[in-house]
Amino acid sequence: MIIRASRPILPLKSPRSLQPAFEQLQFPWLCPALLGNSVWRSSRPTTTATKRKSIHGQRSTNLTNRRPVTKAQRRGFAYATGLGNSTLNDNYVPFDNSGALHASQDPSRYPWSGRADLSEIPSFDPTSPLIIHDSMRQAPRRYRVTNGGIGGELSEIHQTLQACLRVGRFERAAATVRRLTAIYKLDAPELIDAHNDYLASAIERVVESKDQALLRHVQRWFEVEIRASGIPPNPRTYGLMLRASFQESNQLKIDRTIRRYIALAEHADLRDEALSTALNTLNSQEIGRVTRVCPTTFYSTEDLQVEDNFDIQPSIESVDVPDQLQNYNIHPQQQKGLGLVALKKSLSIFEEATNVSSPDVSYISEEARRKAVAYKRQEHLERDTWTSALDRWREEHNESLKRMGLNSGLQTKSVSAVMWTWHEALVPLIREEITKTDELHSDKDYSKAGHERSAYGPFLQYISPEKLSAVTIIYTLNRMSTIGIEKGAKVAALVAGLGKAIQDESVAEAVKDRSSSRYTRGLGTQERQKQLMRLIKRRLRHNSSSQPKAEPNGGAPVQEPLSNVDDQEWPPAVRAQLGAVLVSLLIQAAKIEVVRRGPENHETCKDIQPVFWNSFQYENGKRYGVIRMNAAMSAKVTKEPVSGALSKHLPMLVEPVPWTKYKQGGFLLPGVPVVRAGTQHTQLREYIRAAAESGDMAQVFAGLDVLGRTPWQINNEVFHAMREVWNSGEELANLPAAAPKLQYPPEPGPLADLQERRVHAFKIKEIENARAGMHSERCFFNFQLEVARAYLNDIFYFPHNMDFRGRAYPIPPYLNHIGADNCRGLLKFGIGKQLGESGLVWLKIHLANVFGYDKASFKERRDFAMDHVKDVYDSANDPLKGSRWWLKAEDPWQCLATCIELKNALESPDPTKFVSYLPVHQDGTCNGLQHYAALGGDTIGAKQVNLEPGDRPSDIYTAVAELVKNDIAKEAAEGNQMAKLLEDKISRKIVKPTVMTNVYGVTFQGAKRQVATQLRDLYPTLASDAKTLMGISSYITKKIFSALAAMFNGAHDIQYWLGECASRISEALTPEQVQWIEANAAGKGFESSISAKATNEAKNKNEHTRFRSSVIWTTPLKMPVVQPYRMSTSRTVKTNLQLISLNEPSASDPVSKRKQLQGFPPNFIHSLDATHMLLSALKCNERGLSFAAVHDSFWTHAADLDTMNGVLRNAFISMHSEDIIGRLAAEFAARYKGCMYLAYVKTNSALGMKITSLRKSIGSSKKVKRQGQIDELLLEKRRLRLLASEDPNEQAEGKAMVTPGKLFADTADEKDLMTLEELQGLDGAIGQVNTTESNDQESFETLQPVLGSTKLFSEDPTTAAEIDLNDLADQAVALRAAKAKVARNTRKIWFWLPLTFPAVPKKGDFNVSRLKDSQYFFS
């Protein structure tokens, strides 16, 4: 198509506010620059930096630092002159629905392309962090349920409205909007948004059906329900009514209606904004009519001539399947079902000649055509993964009928065939339930049962009954199989989980619907696609500078955000009710034929029985409802494990979509969030969205894109070897045997007592569990091999997202490089590089590393490879029939892959020019401790984790083991019986788990269990019973912690400081909360958008006095990290099965102090190692390296190892050259400025006694604790305000006030406050032994100073069980007395202080720049 037009005459200043609307006017047929997939189209960054209203209308948040946007990126119109003299290039694929098929390798498709500062730590002012003032968020309010069954929480009402609109229930939707009108104030923005949503859906129906009666209803709604009711319309309202004007069947009325709505908008001073909104929905002819009806509204325009030069017709291209692919068969694991068939069906696009459309024009190159086909195959793969479950059941049911005849009994069928019979019975029941909800919507007399049905009814129609049935059956069986069929599934967890699964599937359906309609929305015919529209509007009368600016909300309570209703979770109550009704229908539908034999004549009889039933069980004194399974079906499922619904996400055939928003990136079909956030992560989601809008997530998004665009392929040689082992059924490496040979114990004799029989039964159960576990593991391996076989001849990619700390993970779950050794051995890079001299050396070192010889020097590792060169050749040439040397490796499959690569290189004419595809790894030495050593400046610790240069690699685990061993030897020499027992028994293996996890928050109890596990494996006869074993483990664990404290003294101080900060934050009130408390005490209220009174208002009367401050910090890459740990409230929901109690997490819930404290140190370190990885990824991308990572293990080509090593060191030095802890302290001071927190001193301290005396003198000690705390908070806040006043009289008044805070300022300082250990202990600190949760030996050791010489346990743990039982009563009395004395000595008294933080610990002498010369930093 050729476009000819003269250059348009534009006004000197085009309206800025119209830019977003212009940018949505895209015509892919006319503007190659704008041809793109819908998931990229809306990703343009905003062109100007604005002072943006903060989230939910609270304190304004300055969101600057947006990504720079070029002029080409800003252009929203497809001007004819935009083409200039450029020619069509190979990346332009002009055929329908193909916008996603171009520029696969074009770097310009990435928003971050061209930025030179991506791999540098950005400048960050810690005194002005991103803050969302949400501490005044109200707990969900519940509103009375009307006779129409509408009520509950606001989020539930809004979600019900969206559900009704989506399924076309306009009568119910209208009643819901009227209910919202009764709840909100008339000028509430949420109310007009609800009206607009209703109008938009109704108008969309009018456009599709041309229903004039519905159009009259829309017009009446606007006039009566909105204008006459006093609800002020907004620009969207007028824009929608303009669109409705064109649906008049009487053409004479259209012009008059247009003039009316434009006049109304102009009267409200919203004309230009309304017209801008209308541009998104009107076609070119309709816009032309608007310009004719109201010519003075627009500038004059030039006509453009557009003529056809050629037609582009999509051709159907058949993707050929290589012959050898169909010959690489994997013998299926015998599963007596088609679970594997389902996977193969999903992957059928790789095996069958799949028809996809491909451009058939001469200027399209073969490479562009290949990319186009790859994109089509990817679209097909993403859409068809979910279609296999029902096909599997149907096929297996039909197969069973063919094999056994039409009258075959259910007991002879496989599980999948039985599931098909359930499905056939369940679908009509679901349809009947939907019919009942439809009838209910038209009936105004709602019963109580009707209220429940009205709540979940609209959500029941989000997806088809067939898919509802499939999800219900699959989820129920998988849930019961996972937790143990014999136990039954708890009703609450089952129905809530099923409701969540249905929600996820409905979101996926909605994404598909939106993605398939975006290209054609507003375009329609080919003639309209050819037209080029240029519409220049009159300049806005009010520019951005005249708009009102956001002001702080002054402590006013705010509602939960309702702006992104599509993105919100369904209400938990709705999910539970929906899940309950589907489970109850499944109970009705699922039957099984059971064959029984008579007790006397042994004749068989058949009986149809229900598969599931509802019952109760007691656990810890509580009664729980459970769903149990019929014994016959239970036996069948045990023999035939049910494969779950296949993963939605398989590796991609094209580069992942760049991340630009919270749910925009990765797969072609949007919907996967960039952060793996659960329902408790409400606050985190808002922070990530805000940071993405402001551009703060640019580097994080870019890092994920770099990880995702790394191409991969299957290692054919390893695959063939693995396939042969698999098909043989042999147990090899980590592949379990197809038929494991397990030795069963002999049956107990006839004279065996009950205990012997119990032991025998327990051993039998253990063996059966082991067999079932190996079978399950083999089934999963089967899936992995099938995925590998499907991708055998393709290049593929792993899109990545991250957890809330920023740690990246590949999204496809079956086969990825984070998987086990067999997965890693199957993978190699999709592009290769010549080894070069250094690459050949690194390949040899890599062989030693994967073999397990990784604690030697590099020279010794190189020599190791060459010393075993014959073994290498033997392994590569004949891996299964040779000597199998590779099986001795720590990672055998990766070792085999390396042997093959090294052998091929050595056999080539010039090994240095051999093109290698093998990823070579560099692993950090206990990376968490590396960060702690750098933060604390610990010279000794730095040396042990290879931050210090050395001739040989240091091993922290060996070093700790030696310290523990020496300490034990010393105590053994002094006569300690336990030390004598453990002499020469401490090894690296025993201490490694505890050392490895200590930095990540393992508790003392957890560490003790880790040590016990290792002792049990290495020395089974060391302890006679579990109690003795735990005593020994406790002794060793204390030694390990002491050794770590000696090595990482500075790190211990930092970890303690982090815990202290978290402790104070989690017991702090924000300035908004304090302001609300002051206003409430003065009898003043705050304005709200709600006019109705909630039914649970009294219950939440004092909700704003709860501690709600989460620990929030910003990573060096400006990603906000929010700890999600809160004490969620529970709610009782009535379902048709039973009453169930649901947790409803919300940002308004009080925080969990214990979890906030324990989680902060390890989460902070996780965020640092994630930052190091992303920085390294970005720099490697700049250097042209292929890069992959598994947390602290970084991969690239052998030829690029030296370059990557330099990048890793520079990134680590760059991070730790800055004062990370000092910046964190400054951020905390700014983020929590104005907060008040509860400090504690000992009651018997000097300050404690003064505070007690003060409270007695004023009578406050007799008040209820809550009221006393509020009164003292108000006094302290008043004192501080008076002291800060410029009025001398007020200052004097403030100085004269006596409060606990005043006493603290006059007579004490920070060192007088109770320490963290005194308050509650700090589990898991480096070198910190917390025994507050301990029992047995260590609990009594803590009390030894109090008890004097009393000994409650024998010093020798081997005789601990032999304590005289007659002494137990005396010991219990002594223990209670000791605990009481300890409690008296540590009794605390609280008082309010402004939130400040302890001084940052002094850093040690280690200079982090020295690691630049450490060759073993990552090795």
Side-chain angles (χ1 to χ4, degrees):
M1 213 175 281
I2 298 179
I3 303 171
R4 297 182 313 198
S6 59
R7 186 178 183 86
I9 300 175
L10 303 179
L12 294 178
K13 296 182 179 179
S14 58
R16 291 184 180 179
S17 68
L18 297 181
Q19 186 68 21
F22 289 166
E23 289 180 346
Q24 296 182 36
L25 294 173
Q26 299 175 4
F27 299 85
W29 287 81
L30 300 176
C31 183
L34 295 180
L35 181 63
N37 189 292
S38 60
V39 293
W40 301 328
R41 195 167 61 190
S42 61
S43 63
R44 291 188 185 85
T46 308
T47 58
T48 57
T50 60
K51 186 88 171 180
R52 178 180 164 279
K53 187 177 180 180
S54 67
I55 307 300
H56 318 315
Q58 299 174 47
R59 180 173 297 177
S60 59
T61 306
N62 191 13
L63 302 181
T64 58
N65 301 326
R66 296 184 181 273
R67 289 192 286 264
V69 184
T70 64
K71 184 183 294 185
Q73 287 174 310
R74 292 194 184 102
R75 182 165 58 85
F77 272 92
Y79 289 113
T81 54
L83 292 175
N85 297 322
S86 64
T87 59
L88 294 170
N89 57 50
D90 289 344
N91 287 331
Y92 174 49
V93 187
F95 59 92
D96 189 31
N97 199 24
S98 62
L101 310 186
H102 76 291
S104 173
Q105 302 294 335
D106 183 7
S108 63
R109 67 188 282 253
Y110 292 94
W112 42 265
S113 61
R115 285 188 54 177
D117 60 340
L118 278 175
S119 61
E120 305 297 332
I121 295 180
S123 60
F124 173 68
D125 182 4
T127 62
S128 58
L130 173 65
I131 301 176
I132 298 176
H133 297 275
D134 59 354
S135 62
M136 291 302 296
R137 181 169 295 164
Q138 290 182 335
R141 295 299 198 260
R142 298 191 58 79
Y143 296 91
R144 182 180 59 84
V145 178
T146 63
N147 290 334
I150 303 172
E153 295 178 4
L154 270 179
S155 62
E156 294 177 359
I157 300 175
H158 279 273
Q159 285 284 2
T160 300
L161 171 62
Q162 296 301 319
C164 291
L165 294 177
R166 179 171 170 180
V167 301
R169 299 298 175 191
F170 290 106
E171 183 178 348
R172 180 72 173 166
T176 304
V177 176
R178 291 190 181 102
R179 183 71 180 100
L180 289 172
T181 303
I183 294 175
Y184 283 110
K185 291 183 178 178
L186 296 180
D187 59 350
E190 297 89 347
L191 180 58
I192 189 60
D193 287 343
H195 280 275
N196 287 341
D197 290 341
Y198 177 76
L199 289 176
S201 296
I203 292 170
E204 193 68 36
R205 176 66 65 86
V206 172
V207 172
E208 296 173 356
S209 63
K210 308 301 179 185
D211 186 343
Q212 294 300 299
L214 183 56
L215 177 61
R216 297 290 171 264
H217 170 74
V218 168
Q219 294 169 341
R220 282 196 301 272
W221 189 276
F222 172 76
E223 298 295 344
V224 178
E225 301 289 346
I226 298 179
R227 294 189 67 236
S229 298
I231 301 173
N234 63 11
R236 186 187 174 205
T237 314
Y238 293 117
L240 289 169
M241 297 310 298
L242 278 174
R243 188 187 185 200
S245 303
F246 289 95
Q247 310 311 315
E248 285 278 2
S249 58
N250 187 345
Q251 295 294 312
L252 299 177
K253 291 184 178 181
I254 296 179
D255 292 355
R256 185 174 60 194
T257 310
I258 291 174
R259 291 191 190 96
R260 168 172 170 72
Y261 292 131
I262 290 181
L264 288 174
E266 187 168 8
H267 180 73
D269 202 19
L270 297 173
R271 182 194 62 185
D272 294 326
E273 292 87 342
L275 290 171
S276 176
T277 304
L279 292 178
N280 298 323
T281 57
L282 302 181
N283 60 44
S284 57
Q285 292 178 351
E286 292 168 345
I287 292 177
R289 187 161 188 168
V290 174
T291 61
R292 291 194 301 273
V293 173
C294 302
T296 59
T297 304
F298 304 92
Y299 285 109
S300 60
T301 60
E302 296 179 350
D303 293 331
L304 299 176
Q305 296 180 354
V306 181
E307 68 179 33
D308 290 340
N309 186 46
F310 53 81
D311 292 329
I312 300 176
Q313 298 293 337
S315 64
I316 302 300
E317 178 169 309
S318 180
V319 181
D320 295 330
V321 182
D323 294 336
Q324 65 269 25
L325 179 58
Q326 301 187 13
N327 296 325
Y328 295 156
N329 293 324
I330 305 295
H331 289 188
Q333 170 66 23
Q334 192 65 29
Q335 299 180 36
K336 295 185 180 180
L338 291 181
L340 189 58
V341 174
L343 178 63
K344 292 182 177 180
K345 181 175 179 62
S346 296
L347 300 173
S348 61
I349 188 173
F350 299 96
E351 301 186 18
E352 302 169 0
T354 306
N355 291 331
V356 295
S357 56
S358 173
D360 187 18
V361 287
S362 58
Y363 57 80
I364 296 296
S365 70
E366 190 60 35
E367 177 65 15
R369 189 187 307 275
R370 185 193 65 78
K371 295 174 184 176
V373 172
Y375 268 96
K376 278 296 183 182
R377 293 173 69 201
Q378 179 62 32
E379 286 184 358
H380 180 68
L381 184 64
E382 290 187 26
R383 292 178 185 275
D384 289 0
T385 303
W386 285 96
T387 62
S388 60
L390 289 177
D391 292 339
R392 178 203 345 161
W393 301 347
R394 185 188 301 110
E395 289 173 10
E396 189 147 342
H397 176 69
N398 294 338
E399 284 296 320
S400 65
L401 294 180
K402 291 178 183 178
R403 289 193 304 266
M404 294 169 284
L406 293 177
N407 296 323
S408 61
L410 288 178
Q411 78 280 358
T412 62
K413 296 180 180 179
S414 66
V415 170
S416 293
V418 173
M419 289 162 71
W420 175 253
T421 64
W422 301 351
H423 173 73
E424 288 183 314
L426 182 57
V427 169
L429 294 177
I430 295 176
R431 293 188 191 279
E432 181 181 350
E433 182 67 22
I434 292 174
T435 302
K436 291 179 180 179
T437 62
D438 292 345
E439 295 171 351
L440 183 65
H441 291 161
S442 60
D443 186 0
K444 296 182 180 179
D445 185 19
Y446 283 76
S447 63
K448 289 186 177 181
H451 288 172
E452 297 173 20
R453 185 169 279 138
S454 67
Y456 66 76
F459 298 88
L460 194 62
Q461 302 178 53
Y462 261 51
I463 56 180
S464 67
E466 290 77 13
K467 188 163 287 188
L468 278 173
S469 171
V471 173
T472 301
I473 294 171
I474 288 174
Y475 183 86
T476 302
L477 281 180
N478 278 346
R479 176 76 184 178
M480 300 193 76
S481 299
T482 301
I483 63 177
I485 295 175
E486 69 283 352
K487 297 179 180 178
K490 290 183 179 178
V491 172
L494 177 63
V495 300
L498 177 57
K500 181 65 167 62
I502 294 169
Q503 174 192 309
D504 292 342
E505 185 56 30
S506 70
V507 171
E509 288 290 317
V511 167
K512 292 178 183 179
D513 294 341
R514 286 198 297 267
S515 64
S516 61
S517 63
R518 281 183 179 177
Y519 286 107
T520 57
R521 186 177 298 151
L523 294 178
T525 65
Q526 185 175 1
E527 181 64 28
R528 281 161 53 193
Q529 291 173 346
K530 293 179 181 178
Q531 296 175 359
L532 180 63
M533 178 184 61
R534 290 186 297 120
L535 181 64
I536 305 301
K537 295 183 63 180
R538 185 184 294 187
R539 157 182 343 168
L540 292 178
R541 286 189 288 272
H542 301 285
N543 57 30
S544 58
S545 62
S546 64
Q547 298 298 320
K549 296 182 179 180
E551 296 294 338
N553 71 327
V558 295
Q559 296 292 324
E560 291 279 359
L562 298 169
S563 55
N564 297 318
V565 179
D566 285 342
D567 237 4
Q568 285 187 342
E569 297 283 328
W570 287 0
V574 169
R575 291 203 303 259
Q577 291 171 333
L578 187 61
V581 72
L582 289 171
V583 169
S584 65
L585 295 178
L586 178 61
I587 291 175
Q588 298 178 44
K591 308 291 183 182
I592 187 171
E593 188 177 81
V594 179
V595 178
R596 296 180 298 171
R597 293 184 179 273
E600 297 180 358
N601 54 15
H602 300 289
E603 291 184 359
T604 60
C605 60
K606 297 180 180 180
D607 186 19
I608 301 298
Q609 297 181 358
V611 176
F612 305 101
W613 72 89
N614 191 8
S615 65
F616 296 91
Q617 71 181 24
Y618 288 89
E619 185 177 310
N620 297 328
K622 294 183 179 180
R623 185 184 181 189
Y624 295 95
V626 294
I627 301 295
R628 298 192 181 277
M629 184 183 292
N630 187 293
M633 189 66 200
S634 175
K636 183 180 287 290
V637 171
T638 302
K639 296 176 182 177
E640 306 171 30
V642 181
S643 61
L646 293 174
S647 168
K648 301 178 186 178
H649 307 122
L650 291 166
M652 295 183 68
L653 294 168
V654 295
E655 286 188 12
V657 176
W659 286 104
T660 53
K661 294 182 179 179
Y662 178 72
K663 279 192 175 180
Q664 190 162 300
F667 289 94
L668 299 186
L669 296 179
V672 178
V674 70
V675 175
R676 302 183 176 198
T679 55
Q680 73 274 24
H681 291 78
T682 303
Q683 199 176 17
L684 170 67
R685 287 194 291 268
E686 294 172 11
Y687 266 92
I688 295 297
R689 285 193 177 99
E693 285 184 26
S694 66
D696 288 346
M697 294 291 290
Q699 287 176 276
V700 175
F701 285 170
L704 294 176
D705 293 342
V706 169
L707 296 173
R709 65 188 297 198
T710 298
W712 298 88
Q713 60 180 316
I714 298 299
N715 191 320
N716 282 268
E717 292 88 347
V718 175
F719 172 79
H720 292 317
M722 197 176 296
R723 176 179 60 89
E724 188 174 344
V725 173
W726 177 266
N727 290 340
S728 71
E730 178 187 359
E731 180 181 2
L732 197 76
N734 62 337
L735 298 185
K741 298 179 181 179
L742 301 175
Q743 295 294 328
Y744 286 83
E747 290 285 340
L751 300 179
D753 59 14
L754 182 60
Q755 180 62 24
E756 290 180 3
R757 295 185 182 278
R758 285 177 177 174
V759 171
H760 178 266
F762 180 77
K763 291 181 178 179
I764 293 294
K765 186 176 181 180
E766 278 190 327
I767 294 174
E768 289 299 327
N769 288 341
R771 183 185 297 277
M774 285 187 282
H775 179 79
S776 177
E777 189 177 359
R778 189 168 172 86
C779 290
F780 188 71
F781 275 119
N782 204 165
F783 283 162
Q784 291 175 325
L785 280 175
E786 282 298 338
V787 173
R789 187 177 75 91
Y791 286 85
L792 201 56
N793 292 281
D794 283 288
I795 302 296
F796 51 89
Y797 305 84
F798 297 125
H800 283 64
N801 62 2
M802 56 189 174
D803 64 15
F804 74 95
R805 286 102 34 118
R807 304 193 95 190
Y809 299 85
I811 301 174
Y814 284 134
L815 183 69
N816 59 60
H817 57 289
I818 290 187
D821 171 57
N822 63 303
C823 293
R824 298 184 183 188
L826 281 170
L827 296 173
K828 61 180 182 179
F829 287 133
I831 57 176
K833 287 191 177 182
Q834 291 185 359
L835 283 175
E837 293 288 348
S838 65
L840 184 59
V841 171
W842 279 114
L843 188 59
K844 297 173 183 177
I845 294 174
H846 181 63
L847 175 63
N849 288 343
V850 296
F851 194 86
Y853 190 69
D854 55 346
K855 302 301 180 288
S857 67
F858 285 146
K859 181 181 183 305
E860 291 169 338
R861 294 185 221 180
R862 292 197 304 269
D863 294 341
F864 173 88
M866 297 313 296
D867 291 343
H868 291 86
V869 69
K870 290 184 179 180
D871 295 321
V872 169
Y873 271 79
D874 178 76
S875 298
N877 291 328
D878 200 354
L880 301 179
K881 296 180 181 179
S883 63
R884 295 189 175 190
W885 173 79
W886 60 278
L887 287 176
K888 300 176 183 178
E890 189 174 285
D891 299 311
W893 292 111
Q894 294 177 76
C895 181
L896 177 59
T898 310
C899 287
I900 294 170
E901 196 81 352
L902 182 57
K903 172 253 184 185
N904 291 338
L906 295 177
E907 285 186 344
S908 64
D910 185 353
T912 62
K913 293 184 179 180
F914 174 75
V915 178
S916 174
Y917 293 82
L918 189 74
V920 177
H921 315 167
Q922 292 286 274
D923 298 343
T925 305
C926 200
N927 192 237
L929 285 175
Q930 286 181 325
H931 284 288
Y932 263 127
L935 290 172
D938 290 311
T939 302
I940 298 176
K943 185 175 182 180
Q944 297 302 325
V945 291
N946 293 308
L947 298 187
E948 264 299 341
D951 297 332
R952 298 182 60 82
S954 297
D955 180 25
I956 179 64
Y957 310 116
T958 301
V960 171
E962 288 299 320
L963 284 178
V964 173
K965 192 182 301 183
N966 294 338
D967 200 8
I968 288 176
K970 181 180 178 181
E971 292 189 6
E974 296 172 354
N976 186 298
Q977 295 299 317
M978 184 177 293
K980 291 181 178 180
L981 180 68
L982 294 173
E983 270 193 300
D984 302 324
K985 290 184 174 62
I986 302 301
S987 64
R988 181 182 186 273
K989 189 173 183 179
I990 290 176
V991 306
K992 181 176 180 179
T994 303
V995 174
M996 184 185 302
T997 56
N998 181 277
V999 67
Y1000 294 125
V1002 67
T1003 65
F1004 184 82
Q1005 292 296 306
K1008 192 170 67 171
R1009 286 190 292 269
Q1010 289 173 340
V1011 173
T1013 299
Q1014 298 299 322
L1015 289 175
R1016 190 183 298 113
D1017 292 341
L1018 294 175
Y1019 308 107
T1021 61
L1022 180 65
S1024 58
D1025 52 43
K1027 188 174 183 180
T1028 303
L1029 180 64
M1030 294 310 292
I1032 298 172
S1033 302
S1034 176
Y1035 176 81
I1036 296 175
T1037 303
K1038 291 178 183 179
K1039 299 297 182 185
I1040 296 174
F1041 276 45
S1042 298
L1044 285 171
M1047 290 182 180
F1048 298 91
N1049 184 58
H1052 168 263
D1053 293 341
I1054 289 175
Q1055 199 172 35
Y1056 177 85
W1057 182 86
L1058 293 174
E1060 178 65 33
C1061 291
S1063 177
R1064 296 187 183 188
I1065 291 170
S1066 57
E1067 281 197 314
L1069 293 176
T1070 66
E1072 292 80 16
Q1073 288 179 281
V1074 174
Q1075 189 174 354
W1076 180 88
I1077 292 172
E1078 290 178 319
N1080 190 55
K1084 298 178 181 178
F1086 292 95
E1087 291 189 5
S1088 171
S1089 61
I1090 305 297
S1091 60
K1093 186 174 182 180
T1095 58
N1096 60 343
E1097 197 75 42
K1099 178 181 178 181
N1100 295 300
K1101 182 178 180 181
N1102 296 314
E1103 63 178 330
H1104 300 306
T1105 63
R1106 302 169 183 165
F1107 298 124
R1108 293 177 170 177
S1109 298
S1110 294
V1111 179
I1112 304 172
W1113 69 96
T1114 307
T1115 71
L1117 290 183
K1118 302 178 75 172
M1119 173 185 169
V1121 180
V1122 182
Q1123 292 201 146
Y1125 314 121
R1126 294 180 179 271
M1127 295 185 293
S1128 59
T1129 56
S1130 61
R1131 171 184 168 191
T1132 301
V1133 176
K1134 183 179 181 181
T1135 70
N1136 58 349
L1137 288 175
Q1138 65 175 60
L1139 290 174
I1140 61 176
S1141 180
L1142 295 177
N1143 285 330
E1144 295 186 323
S1146 167
S1148 62
D1149 294 331
V1151 297
S1152 170
K1153 178 178 179 179
R1154 180 180 61 83
K1155 292 182 178 179
Q1156 291 281 343
L1157 189 156
Q1158 292 182 348
F1160 181 36
N1163 288 336
F1164 181 71
I1165 296 300
H1166 276 307
S1167 71
L1168 291 184
D1169 65 42
T1171 298
H1172 179 230
M1173 187 275 291
L1174 291 173
L1175 278 175
S1176 302
L1178 291 169
K1179 179 60 73 173
C1180 285
N1181 180 69
E1182 288 181 7
R1183 302 285 186 88
L1185 276 62
S1186 295
F1187 183 87
V1190 183
H1191 303 318
D1192 61 349
S1193 176
F1194 301 157
W1195 303 9
T1196 191
H1197 290 93
D1200 295 328
L1201 246 296
D1202 289 331
T1203 303
M1204 188 183 75
N1205 276 329
V1207 168
L1208 303 184
R1209 285 155 177 76
N1210 289 336
F1212 195 92
I1213 293 171
S1214 178
M1215 283 178 55
H1216 288 282
S1217 294
E1218 297 189 359
D1219 186 4
I1220 294 177
I1221 299 299
R1223 187 176 71 171
L1224 178 64
E1227 179 184 347
F1228 278 172
R1231 184 177 297 280
Y1232 301 104
K1233 182 179 180 180
C1235 292
M1236 301 290 292
Y1237 86 105
L1238 283 179
Y1240 297 91
V1241 294
K1242 292 180 179 180
T1243 306
N1244 56 4
S1245 66
L1247 178 59
M1249 290 186 287
K1250 289 182 180 179
I1251 293 175
T1252 301
S1253 177
L1254 172 65
R1255 288 173 179 167
K1256 288 182 178 180
S1257 66
I1258 61 177
S1260 64
S1261 60
K1262 298 181 181 180
K1263 292 184 178 180
V1264 178
K1265 182 178 180 181
R1266 174 185 291 272
Q1267 188 58 45
Q1269 287 182 342
I1270 291 176
D1271 290 346
E1272 286 198 13
L1273 172 66
L1274 294 174
L1275 284 174
E1276 184 63 24
K1277 194 64 182 177
R1278 172 176 171 77
R1279 185 181 75 87
L1280 295 174
R1281 188 179 295 112
L1282 291 173
L1283 291 177
S1285 173
E1286 296 181 357
D1287 187 339
N1289 294 329
E1290 291 185 349
Q1291 289 183 6
E1293 182 183 352
K1295 292 178 181 179
M1297 293 179 65
V1298 180
T1299 65
K1302 164 74 170 177
L1303 296 176
F1304 174 81
D1306 291 344
T1307 63
D1309 55 24
E1310 280 273 345
K1311 69 177 184 296
D1312 295 299
L1313 297 176
M1314 291 185 69
T1315 64
L1316 203 56
E1317 292 96 332
E1318 291 172 327
L1319 287 172
Q1320 62 183 33
L1322 178 60
D1323 260 342
I1326 294 176
Q1328 175 66 41
V1329 182
N1330 172 35
T1331 58
T1332 55
E1333 297 181 8
S1334 304
N1335 49 31
D1336 302 335
Q1337 181 84 17
E1338 66 270 21
S1339 296
F1340 296 101
E1341 289 176 357
T1342 305
L1343 304 173
Q1344 283 292 338
V1346 180
L1347 296 172
S1349 60
T1350 304
K1351 292 187 178 181
L1352 305 182
F1353 280 98
S1354 168
E1355 293 183 1
D1356 185 355
T1358 60
T1359 61
E1362 302 174 5
I1363 296 178
D1364 190 348
L1365 296 179
N1366 295 327
D1367 294 336
L1368 289 180
D1370 294 338
Q1371 292 176 3
V1373 172
L1375 179 59
R1376 285 194 294 270
K1379 285 185 176 180
K1381 188 171 182 179
V1382 171
R1384 287 194 300 272
N1385 290 337
T1386 58
R1387 190 173 295 170
K1388 60 188 179 184
I1389 189 169
W1390 56 267
F1391 62 100
W1392 293 100
L1393 284 179
L1395 180 55
T1396 58
F1397 299 96
V1400 173
K1402 185 179 179 181
K1403 195 171 183 177
D1405 298 329
F1406 174 70
N1407 185 352
V1408 72
S1409 63
R1410 289 179 54 78
L1411 75 85
K1412 197 163 189 176
D1413 298 323
S1414 173
Q1415 55 181 332
Y1416 299 108
F1417 167 58
F1418 267 69
S1419 62

